């Protein structure tokens, strides 16, 4: 099969690594990165250049385009490819609204009885301020549109919520993406991520995972795009998984179909596992999670191509995919200053040595080549991943690989997956 992969981060490297194992595959990536270059032919077209990507898919006679990031999905790349008769894995623009508009997602969940916190959506600061004043407990203020993970403010009190409303609706810190805000009840509990493939009707759950969003050990410091992950999540017991399938994934896919925007692709549910109200949806994403995909792909036990092409064509394969029963851990190596501003261009050493360790994969998240040298080119630079018989073994192997890697000012969390070690071993997926 002839496949084009869109994107150039760690998630796309993990997808490329997995796709590469498919027999007879011809793979291009745009724009890709130096790690993806080992698995695919790179094309210098940006992930948001929809016209350029459609031309590329046409030129290479691509049968399936796999779209990594949310921005092109929300901008309608799947519709644009379909207009040229080209197949793509990912939702249409209308279906991508589950991620592209937080107000749409919350109103959709309310319409379909999908468990999520109470909320209000506002485009006027006065009305939002009244909601804040009337709220019983702490709130989370979210910009409606895409903000590359930055448009969420978790507030401790009303003053913080008022300030966040002002930044978004009055000062327009997030531009048009923040012209509308969602104010949500702040939920308490532990977070886990579940993703599901859908062909518009059927739903196939992928293995559970947990992200680590805060920059410092012990979940301290500002939120990042994700500092590491592990799979499976011991929080996702068979009961939790069953509940999320029946009460979240299936009703979402059915509801989207009924509303005339069938969802094909991967549906990501960010969940808060509350003590008193069970699992509740914090957010939907319309694409593979980053860095969850890195650990989930390490454990995906079969050829990925039939699953992605099946979802795209409206006919997922029957049954569930097999999973490697081992545990996968991924530690993100970040540039100094991240998640604030950070320098680029620092030489990176040790990638080959680290990747040569058994059961280790080093995915490139933000790297580029300068001549023959590999240098940093993003806030999250590398995803160092390992498989192990249990969490302890996977963690030990991942950090053994981390110890081989260097670039100036590199920082990472030392407690990725540590929280899982205090919990009992769950079912394999
Ligand atoms: P999101 O981009 O919507 O996933 O939000 C980013 C992070 O903000 C989540 O991973 C949570 O840690 C936190 N968050 C979002 N919504 C809520 C909520 N309603 N209650 C508590 N925390 C939240
Ligand atoms: N790991 C969270 C996300 O992909 O949005």
């Amino acid at each position: 099969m002839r496949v084009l992969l869109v994107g150039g981060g760690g998630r796309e490297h993990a997808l490329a690594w997995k796709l590469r194992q498919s027999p007879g595959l011809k793979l291009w990536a745009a724009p890709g990165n130096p790690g993806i270059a080992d698995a695919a032919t790179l094309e210098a077209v940006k992930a948001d250049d929809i016209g350029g990507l459609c031309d590329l898919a046409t030129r290479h006679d691509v049968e399936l385009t796999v779209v990594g990031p949310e921005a092109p999905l929300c901008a309608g790349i799947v519709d644009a490819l379909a207009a040229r008769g080209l197949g793509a894995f990912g939702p249409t623009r209308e279906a991508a609204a589950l991620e592209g508009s937080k107000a749409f997602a919350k109103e959709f969940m309310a319409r379909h009885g999908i468990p999520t916190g109470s909320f209000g959506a506002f485009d006027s600061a006065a009305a939002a301020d009244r909601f804040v004043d009337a709220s019983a407990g702490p709130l989370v203020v979210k910009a409606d549109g895409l903000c590359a993970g930055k448009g969420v403010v978790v507030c401790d009190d009303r003053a913080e919520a008022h300030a966040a409303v002002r930044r978004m609706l009055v000062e327009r810190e997030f531009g048009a993406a923040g012209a509308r805000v969602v104010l949500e009840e702040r939920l308490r509990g532990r977070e886990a991520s579940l993703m599901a493939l859908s062909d518009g009707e059927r739903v196939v759950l992928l293995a559970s995972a947990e992200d680590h969003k805060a920059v410092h050990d012990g979940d301290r410091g500002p939120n990042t795009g994700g500092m590491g992950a592990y799979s499976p999540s011991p929080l996702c017991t068979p009961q939790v998984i069953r509940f999320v399938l029946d009460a979240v994934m299936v009703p979402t896919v059915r509801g989207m179909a009924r509303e005339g925007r069938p969802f094909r692709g991967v549906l990501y549910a960010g969940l808060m596992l509350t003590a008193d109200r069970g699992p509740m949806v914090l957010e939907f994403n319309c694409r593979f999670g980053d860095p969850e995909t890195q650990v989930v792909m390490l454990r995906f036990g079969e050829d990925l191509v039939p699953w992605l092409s099946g979802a795209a064509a409206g006919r997922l394969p029957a049954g569930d995919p097999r999973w490697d029963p081992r545990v996968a851990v991924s530690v993100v190596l970040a540039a100094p200053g991240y998640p604030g501003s950070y320098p680029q261009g620092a030489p990176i050493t040790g990638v080959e040595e680290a990747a040569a360790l058994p059961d280790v994969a080093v995915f490139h998240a933000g790297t580029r080549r300068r001549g023959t040298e590999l240098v940093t080119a993003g806030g999250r630079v590398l995803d160092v991943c390992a498989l192990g018989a249990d969490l302890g073994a996977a963690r030990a192997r991942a950090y053994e690989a981390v110890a081989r890697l260097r670039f100036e000012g590199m920082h990472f969390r030392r407690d990725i997956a540590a929280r899982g070690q205090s919990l009992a071993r769950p079912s394999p997926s």
Side-chain angles (χ1 to χ4, degrees), residues 7-45:
R11 163 184 54 206
E12 288 78 19
H13 189 183
L15 289 168
W17 172 88
K18 187 69 214 175
L19 288 167
R20 183 72 271 159
Q21 297 166 16
S22 183
L25 184 87
K26 185 90 187 73
L27 185 63
W28 291 268
N33 68 35
I36 296 173
D38 291 339
T41 305
L42 301 193
E43 294 280 359
V45 180

Side-chain angles (χ1 to χ4, degrees), residues 350-358 360-362 384 400-402 404-405:
V351 173
E352 282 85 16
E353 276 167 72
L357 291 171
V360 167
V362 179
V384 186
E400 190 187 338
V402 167
R404 306 281 201 281
L405 290 153

Side-chain angles (χ1 to χ4, degrees), residues 137-357:
L139 295 172
V140 180
V141 180
K142 299 183 178 181
D144 180 52
L146 295 184
C147 298
K150 296 200 175 71
V152 175
V153 184
V154 179
C155 305
D156 283 323
D157 53 38
R158 290 204 179 94
E160 281 181 31
H162 283 302
V165 165
R166 182 132 306 101
R167 277 165 54 200
M168 291 186 199
L169 288 181
V170 180
E171 289 155 20
R172 288 296 167 93
E173 187 174 322
F174 298 106
R180 205 169 178 213
V181 298
V182 171
L183 305 188
E184 283 176 31
E185 162 193 17
R186 179 171 170 184
L187 299 170
R188 308 278 176 178
R190 291 189 60 179
E191 285 182 53
S193 316
L194 276 169
M195 296 186 270
L197 301 177
S198 178
D199 57 12
E201 281 179 35
R202 213 163 79 75
V203 173
V204 171
L205 275 180
L206 300 180
S208 63
E210 279 177 54
D211 190 358
H212 296 63
K213 291 200 194 258
V215 69
H216 298 308
D217 286 10
D219 293 326
R220 288 175 300 107
N223 267 356
T224 68
M227 293 297 288
Y230 70 113
S231 171
S233 159
L235 300 171
C236 291
T237 60
Q239 292 79 2
V240 166
I241 289 171
R242 186 80 239 170
F243 179 85
V244 173
L245 180 64
D246 293 344
V248 176
M249 297 299 192
V250 168
T252 299
V253 166
R254 286 213 183 117
M256 291 295 278
R258 233 180 296 136
E259 294 191 9
R261 26 178 130 201
F263 190 96
R264 288 179 180 167
V266 58
L267 179 63
Y268 169 113
L271 302 165
M272 186 70 88
L273 308 178
T274 69
D276 47 345
R277 291 191 282 173
M280 306 193 76
V281 178
L282 294 179
E283 63 159 346
F284 281 130
N285 293 324
C286 66
R287 36 100 191 151
F288 283 105
D290 191 344
E292 290 92 334
T293 300
Q294 288 82 322
V295 284
V296 168
M297 282 302 119
L298 273 192
R299 300 187 55 231
F300 195 81
E302 35 194 279
D303 188 348
L304 184 61
V305 170
W307 294 90
L308 301 191
S309 60
R315 307 181 288 280
L316 272 171
D320 286 307
R322 282 187 308 270
W323 294 96
D324 188 323
R326 289 177 295 171
V327 176
V329 169
S330 171
V331 179
V332 170
L333 305 186
Y338 177 81
S341 59
Y342 49 82
Q344 302 194 16
I348 304 168
T349 59
V351 173
E352 282 85 16
E353 276 167 72
L357 291 171

